[in-house]
Amino acid sequence: MKKVVAVFCLGVSLTGALAQGLVHFANDPTTLVTYQAWTNGVIGPFVPIPANNPGAFYFGLLTAASPAGPFTFTGIYATNSADAGLFGPASYTPTVPGWAPGASMFYEVAGWSASLGPTFNPVWLTGNLGNFGYFGVSPVGLSVAGGHTPQARLSASVSGDSIVISWAPSAGTLQSSPLLRVGEVWSTVGTANPARITISGDAKFFRVLPAVYVTPNLFGPASLPGFGLWTNGV
């Protein structure tokens, strides 16, 4: 007698209230950060922030549910690299509190010179810097946080001497295990969907390990800060 094959789904859903999505918090040569240098009392044209001076500028990510705000600092920081106009690093993909995976959110990028200190101060948004320094905020952008792993739903049917397992969403890797217990090692069956598996004498449990979707570069919809020179908010 053939044993029943148990089908079990252990996909993880990250859409709960405490979930945090991923963003790519870095720019590229098409979205350079610019500033107006103050030289001998004269403000120059907007040019990329200088090269070979990493850590001279800080950047912070602000988000809001509406394009009109209010925008709230997320606690996500970055600094400029040794390359002109760039910050990151390019591989920096932090999780963002309050921005659920797969959810859309409006955002701004604030930037300031190290002379103002490493910690973001929301008072700067009013134009009051208190000290000599550069400060700027990007236009409002709209993006989708990455890291979304929708829970897979499995279905099975018997065809001849095989069981056919399919799942939705279609991405992911099917795995099997003879037991369900903490610390159990799961074996990879494959990514083919549907999967056809010959029925054997031993019961097995199946699950789908979801694919992870990471958002594209955050800065597609918006340009980056252009820094103006401020002295005591003037």
Side-chain angles (χ1 to χ4, degrees):
M1 178 181 296
K2 297 179 179 177
K3 293 185 178 181
V4 175
V5 179
V7 180
F8 197 80
C9 172
L10 290 181
V12 178
S13 175
L14 295 180
T15 57
L18 298 180
Q20 300 180 24
L22 297 170
V23 297
H24 185 186
F25 196 45
N27 64 332
D28 58 38
T30 67
T31 53
L32 295 178
V33 179
T34 60
Y35 84 134
Q36 287 179 290
W38 178 276
T39 305
N40 297 324
V42 178
I43 298 178
F46 275 102
V47 295
I49 57 176
N52 302 316
N53 194 14
F57 293 87
Y58 290 90
F59 300 87
L61 178 63
L62 290 74
T63 59
S66 165
F71 283 84
T72 303
F73 178 52
T74 61
I76 303 299
Y77 287 98
T79 60
N80 66 303
S81 68
D83 297 314
L86 295 180
F87 71 92
S91 59
Y92 185 35
T93 54
T95 57
V96 184
W99 193 345
S104 297
M105 187 76 75
F106 294 95
Y107 69 89
E108 292 179 336
V109 180
W112 62 96
S113 55
S115 61
L116 299 177
T119 305
F120 175 76
N121 187 343
V123 173
W124 296 340
L125 297 173
T126 68
N128 183 14
L129 301 187
N131 294 301
F132 176 89
Y134 294 92
F135 180 77
V137 179
S138 75
V140 176
L142 176 65
S143 192
V144 178
H148 186 41
T149 55
Q151 185 172 2
R153 296 184 180 276
L154 281 71
S155 60
S157 62
V158 175
S159 176
D161 62 351
S162 299
I163 183 171
V164 179
I165 301 176
S166 60
W167 60 93
S170 60
T173 301
L174 184 66
Q175 297 182 321
S176 69
S177 173
L179 297 171
L180 282 180
R181 61 185 179 185
V182 176
E184 184 64 33
V185 176
W186 289 79
S187 301
T188 297
V189 177
T191 57
N193 183 7
R196 179 180 290 269
I197 301 167
T198 301
I199 299 175
S200 64
D202 299 321
K204 289 184 179 180
F205 296 87
F206 293 91
R207 73 178 185 182
V208 169
L209 190 65
V212 176
Y213 302 90
V214 178
T215 188
N217 194 312
L218 180 66
F219 301 109
S223 59
L224 296 182
F227 297 122
L229 179 68
W230 296 78
T231 304
N232 298 323
V234 178

